[in-house]
Amino acid sequence: MTDALKRLSDEGVAIWLDDLSRKRITSGNLAELIDQSHVVGVTTNPSIFQKAISSGDGYDQQLADLATRRVTVEEAIRMITTADVRDAADILRPVHDRTDGQDGRVSIEVDPRLAHDTAATVAEAKQLAWLVDRPNTLIKIPATRAGLPAITEVIGRGISVNVTLIFSLARYREVMDAYLAGLEKAKAAGLDLSLIHSVASFFVSRVDSEIDKRLDAVGTDEAKALKGKAALANARLAYEAYEEVFSSDRWTALERVGANKQRALWASTGVKDPAYKDTLYVDDLVAPNTVNTMPEATLEATADHGQITGDTVRGTYEQARAELDAVAKLGISYDDVVQLLEDEGVEKFEASWNDLLKSTEAELQRLAPTEA
């Protein structure tokens, strides 16, 4: 069942699971996926935690304790989510040690309501790193305009970062620049650059969802022929940008003193359109030194029938550019699409966070001790 996953791993793609819950930790499922399915990392987001905490009774004991202490709902959420991340990090610690810190990583996101506040994002990132207190954690910071200087500041303090919600090629280049600036800051502060890691989460399926909708509106045969191509083209050109930046003189100077490349991470790799093969964003995004974080359904589909045939990214750049150009010629604005997706991404995570606040508050009230 896992031959395709092994081939994917052998091609230099780190397989991370895009999910986490208390049950997955305590049942031994996460350890099993690491042992049998080549999973070497975990990503989380507000939607994942909202789903985990609002289903089942796995959090009841901790919620009851928190209710007894009369903590605020925000503090309760942080105690619950950081506990899960800490436990998952401990399970993945052997992978972290074996890979010199590259993998064995667990990501936790700053409060998405802070996405447009640089100073608050930095403060939250520092707090999360302190709360989890594990060397194999990544703090997720969204690639908003306000997020860019926060990335530099947090990296400069020696905290490893997962930059999330990247849709635009131009923004991706700004993310890599923010990472290098952070490394330069850390170097100036005398920090050990070899201990700082980062990934840049480039979102995939949502690009097709939005552009395909606009192609359907155009309605021509030419438009229909372009469906399902924009997301792969966008991601492949992101890898081209990665190759350029991490072969530059600026990068080489940092690499000489122990810096690690910021790997491209393919996120949102579950297929949204059932007309497409369910392993599309895995099979067709194979490139060295990348990460693919998959929901469990995509992981299982890849294990069962993934077609891993080697590098499917390098050598495709001209075709990718031609496909995005063809979309633009039909009057579909790339800049408009990627800005909309960034705005929607922040809004969706904010909505999930607000749902999490409401459901956690209800649980705290339900489990609160009755007054004597």
Side-chain angles (χ1 to χ4, degrees):
M1 282 286 287
T2 58
D3 283 351
L5 294 174
K6 183 179 186 305
R7 287 196 297 276
L8 185 63
S9 183
D10 289 345
E11 289 290 340
V13 180
I15 300 165
W16 290 9
L17 177 70
D18 193 26
D19 191 53
L20 188 63
S21 67
R22 187 72 49 89
K23 183 178 179 182
R24 200 181 282 284
I25 291 166
T26 58
S27 68
N29 173 262
L30 178 57
E32 185 178 290
L33 290 172
I34 295 165
D35 185 52
Q36 299 180 13
S37 299
H38 303 275
V39 169
V40 293
V42 167
T43 49
T44 68
N45 60 46
S47 301
I48 285 170
F49 279 126
Q50 194 277 329
K51 180 182 175 184
I53 295 171
S54 61
S55 59
D57 59 2
Y59 296 90
D60 278 8
Q61 183 58 62
Q62 188 178 9
L63 281 163
D65 290 343
L66 292 165
T68 300
R69 290 174 50 213
R70 294 179 172 81
V71 304
T72 65
V73 64
E74 285 88 354
E75 185 181 352
I77 288 170
R78 278 303 174 218
M79 292 299 101
I80 291 166
T81 57
T82 55
D84 277 1
V85 168
R86 189 181 308 113
D87 289 343
D90 287 343
I91 294 169
L92 279 155
R93 184 61 185 269
V95 177
H96 170 270
D97 294 345
R98 187 175 72 244
T99 60
D100 292 327
Q102 179 165 261
D103 288 308
R105 297 265 167 188
V106 187
S107 298
I108 184 168
E109 188 149 353
V110 298
D111 183 335
R113 296 172 300 179
L114 308 178
H116 302 297
D117 186 329
T118 301
T121 294
V122 172
E124 173 92 344
K126 288 160 57 182
Q127 174 74 355
L128 283 174
W130 178 82
L131 276 172
V132 177
D133 193 28
R134 294 294 185 271
N136 50 329
T137 308
L138 291 170
I139 307 302
K140 289 180 82 173
I141 296 176
T144 56
R145 179 62 56 195
L148 294 172
I151 293 159
T152 295
E153 180 66 22
V154 172
I155 290 289
R157 291 174 177 268
I159 298 171
S160 295
V161 172
N162 175 344
V163 183
T164 188
L165 288 177
I166 308 171
F167 298 95
S168 149
L169 291 167
R171 182 58 55 83
Y172 178 45
R173 287 185 179 273
E174 290 176 318
V175 165
M176 290 187 284
D177 180 72
Y179 174 62
L180 296 184
L183 289 176
E184 288 160 350
K185 197 166 186 174
K187 179 186 173 187
L191 300 182
D192 183 351
L193 300 194
S194 71
L195 300 178
I196 303 171
H197 289 262
S198 184
V199 293
S201 295
F202 204 86
F203 278 52
V204 185
S205 65
R206 295 186 196 181
V207 173
D208 270 342
S209 296
E210 182 60 31
I211 289 183
D212 283 359
K213 183 170 66 177
R214 298 183 187 207
L215 289 169
D216 281 336
V218 173
T220 63
D221 289 343
E222 182 185 8
K224 290 174 184 175
L226 287 168
K227 287 183 66 176
K229 294 184 177 179
L232 289 174
N234 199 40
R236 286 166 170 171
L237 291 176
Y239 192 79
E240 181 187 39
Y242 159 85
E243 288 189 304
E244 287 176 14
V245 170
F246 290 101
S247 60
S248 66
D249 291 343
R250 184 184 181 191
W251 164 250
T252 302
L254 289 163
E255 189 174 36
R256 282 198 204 101
V257 291
N260 299 290
K261 291 179 180 177
Q262 181 187 55
R263 287 182 294 172
L265 179 150
W266 311 128
S268 184
T269 55
V271 171
K272 303 284 194 292
D273 188 334
Y276 302 151
K277 64 177 180 177
D278 52 5
T279 60
L280 176 66
Y281 304 126
V282 179
D283 297 348
D284 291 8
L285 286 177
V286 178
N289 207 35
T290 57
V291 180
N292 194 311
T293 187
M294 310 178 201
E296 190 167 25
T298 304
L299 182 75
E300 291 175 349
T302 303
D304 182 60
H305 52 264
Q307 298 176 334
I308 309 303
T309 57
D311 190 331
T312 50
V313 173
R314 291 182 296 185
T316 67
Y317 305 144
E318 284 188 23
Q319 179 188 350
R321 258 186 291 277
E323 287 167 348
L324 289 186
D325 286 347
V327 169
K329 285 174 184 173
L330 293 174
I332 296 171
S333 167
Y334 175 87
D335 290 342
D336 180 66
V337 167
V338 294
Q339 187 60 56
L340 174 70
L341 290 172
E342 179 185 307
D343 293 343
E344 285 184 346
V346 172
E347 287 169 7
K348 285 175 182 176
F349 280 170
E350 280 188 14
S352 293
W353 193 264
N354 288 329
D355 288 343
L356 178 56
L357 286 168
K358 290 173 188 173
S359 57
T360 303
E361 187 167 34
E363 288 297 290
L364 289 170
Q365 290 174 354
R366 179 177 70 85
L367 296 164
T370 56
E371 293 294 335

